[in-house]
Amino acid sequence: MESRYRAAEAAQFVETYGPRWGEDLALRVYTSRLLGQDPDLVLHGGGNTSVKTRVTELVGDTTEVLYVKGSGWDLGAIEPDGFPACRLAQLRRLCELPSMTDEQMVSLLRSHMLEPSAPTPSVEALLHAYLPFKYIDHTHADAVLDIVDQPGSNQLVREVFGDRVLFIPYVMPGFALAKKVADLWRALTRAGREPNVMILDKHGIFTWGETAMESYERMIANVTRAEHWIEEATALSRRTISSPSPDACARLAPMIRGALARASGERWICSFRMTPQMVSFCDRNDLDEITQLGPATPDHVLRTKPKPLLLPPLSPDDRHKTKATLDAAISEYAEQYRAYFRRCSAARPGERRELDPWPRVLLIEGLGAFTAGKTRKDAEITADIYEHTTGVIEQATANAGYEPASELDIFDVEYWSLEQAKLKKSAGAGKPLDRHVAFVTGAASGIGFATARALLAAGAHVALTDRDEEALERAAQSLVEAHSDRVFLLPCDVTSKDDVRVAIRKATLRFGGLDVVVSNAGAAFEGPIHGEQGDSALRASLEVNLLGHQNVARFASDVLIQQGSGGVLLFNASKSAFNQGPDFGPYAIPKAALVALTRQYAVDLAPYGIRSNAVNADRIRTGIFGGGMLEARARARGVGVDEYFRANLLRRETTAADVAQAFVYLATAEATTGCVITVDGGNAAAFPR
């Protein structure tokens, strides 16, 4: 492990943040990011850092404060606002109390903050306050976990880090840990042995210094010592495993996602992790033993649950057998989790709300890990954490063996009263399409883009596709910036079966399946249908405006059927399906057929719980009217351009956003199928019959 501290970068942070926040905090932000951006040290919100300094309060008093990482902040992207300032003297007095509940600790921490609106300080704030150093760093370095997750970790730690290490037997984070450290620290210093590094069993490492660079580089040096020891002590070899088939994974993903939905009554956003490390790990002969011992550190249980679900090789070709295997395995996992809750609750009296019993990590022989969460970000975080866990397990197993924290210690963190309190705060109604996956064609502009934006606003994860990849990237830039984990951009020409098949496969792998499919892509064709020119225009229009929709519906319905948890196909038809206009037959005829296609899918897919509906829009200002077509259509109706858009019963121009809201409604209308909704301001001649 190499230091990434650069004096010029540190100076830039001082220049940026120093004038408002002071040099001490500016440098604290810099080295915190260095730690947080290295996944071998810190993963997704883990770890914490602090600095002790002086600030001048509004009334002019100079106060010694502890800036410590706030709850919910990720070290890799932390800002000065992410370090709430607490009055140091009061925090140190709290460390001397004989006892304190976690709730009392959090309340007292907040009562000693300088800024009441700042985030809640880390639960390890008291520990940071007690240690007599200016800068303090804490990480869950993989190399350290490789050592402390073995039998005899106390002796191993002294062998690796020397006589000046302070080894802390596992204690749950919070007040109890701060008190334990304070007691052991006093005993060591009375004996004239001031520690130079602190290792927490089954947890991680603390380093410190009088400068940000000193504390950071001590972290790097000590983790490097652990890495060197592991290299010398462990002969770890991995078998080379052939890469899994993305096509097989894409076909299995909706089946697994559907099984989770059937069992839990909830939809999940899922992800396949098929890295060589994960696939090789899933091929171990002792997988059923080592994976059931627990996470690498108890904190990880909040993401991964205590154990993963192990699955045998699965075949997407045998849908009935795979479905039965998945349903049985998930049911058994849930029963084992409930037994774990009952067992540990009996040993830890107190009132608790039992958490859901569904797996977050599913290990599949030959394929890797399938992870589940409320969002794509959740699923990816879980995959990252478990992939690092596999490395820790393998290193420890290749040495003295893997011995993580006990079941009760893991349970204590999973059912921590502070975590239980978060459940109450997060309870409440979400957005209507939370945990849904949508697929939208023709999303680079007009109705498609407006629909994608509306689906995102309703909570969905959305795959946006268009044949013009550059236009799609330009149009969707703002969506990607605002919803990076919920947006997926894909090139797709709906007239190409291969394009559609690949796009749906990629979207399925990205999110685990599909729920809402908006087949929107289309093109306008005009002119009389009689004669050779009309024949060629009609054939070209049929390819886009009918068969393109069939391509999307065909491959999407395969996924929805495999998933087995319903879903909806939505088509962008047109009022032309009911009210043809002069010289617009090449467009109107395929759109009329599209309404028939919608209704046929409603009939054919109803046994699977899959709905099929359409929106008939009219006269929307989109690119479809380019190349003089708008003026031509207005002339055909005998009106001017602006009047053309308002020529409806409501005398109101209909927008792409209006159409998008109709798609969102149909996406949530669980009892509606075979329906055509008109969004045209009112056109009596086009009323559906």
Side-chain angles (χ1 to χ4, degrees), residues 488-651:
F488 188 36
L489 307 184
L490 289 164
C492 180
D493 181 345
V494 297
T495 65
S496 165
K497 292 180 181 178
D498 287 341
D499 266 21
V500 175
R501 180 172 53 245
V502 169
I504 287 179
R505 188 195 76 181
K506 288 182 176 180
T508 301
L509 273 178
R510 179 79 170 187
F511 299 124
L514 298 174
D515 300 298
V516 179
V517 179
V518 181
S519 188
N520 162 76
F525 294 81
E526 61 178 345
I529 60 170
H530 54 80
E532 185 174 342
Q533 184 176 358
D535 186 62
S536 61
L538 178 59
R539 290 179 182 277
S541 182
L542 285 167
E543 283 292 331
V544 179
N545 294 317
L546 177 62
L547 298 180
H549 292 280
Q550 164 62 5
N551 290 337
V552 173
R554 169 194 166 187
F555 292 113
S557 61
D558 285 345
V559 173
L560 295 174
I561 291 170
Q562 291 282 70
Q563 193 166 263
S565 54
V568 61
L569 302 177
L570 300 175
F571 300 93
N572 186 0
S574 167
K575 75 91 185 179
S576 296
F578 297 104
N579 178 215
Q580 295 80 6
D583 291 335
F584 213 33
Y587 179 76
I589 293 170
K591 287 295 186 178
L594 179 57
V595 172
L597 187 77
T598 300
R599 291 170 171 166
Q600 191 63 52
Y601 269 109
V603 172
D604 291 351
L605 298 183
Y608 302 100
I610 300 167
R611 296 169 287 123
S612 177
N613 297 297
V615 173
N616 277 1
D618 186 31
R619 304 183 189 187
I620 312 297
R621 288 186 193 259
T622 68
I624 200 171
F625 284 113
M629 181 171 287
L630 171 59
E631 291 76 10
R633 298 315 308 151
R635 284 196 301 273
R637 293 291 183 177
V639 296
V641 168
D642 289 338
E643 177 61 19
Y644 176 76
F645 284 113
R646 294 193 301 272
N648 55 58
L649 295 175
L650 297 177
R651 304 299 297 166

Side-chain angles (χ1 to χ4, degrees), residues 310-366:
L310 305 184
L311 292 169
L314 300 173
S315 171
D317 294 322
D318 192 340
R319 187 165 68 92
H320 295 294
K321 181 179 178 180
T322 298
K323 177 180 180 294
T325 299
L326 288 168
D327 288 345
I330 293 171
S331 176
E332 175 63 20
Y333 182 95
E335 284 305 311
Q336 291 181 4
Y337 182 88
R338 294 183 181 111
Y340 149 82
F341 177 77
R342 292 192 298 269
R343 184 169 61 247
C344 293
S345 293
R348 293 282 198 266
E351 184 178 344
R352 298 176 184 86
R353 171 185 169 187
E354 184 176 353
L355 303 176
D356 75 76
W358 314 116
R360 299 299 191 271
V361 180
L362 299 88
L363 303 181
I364 310 170
E365 185 178 335

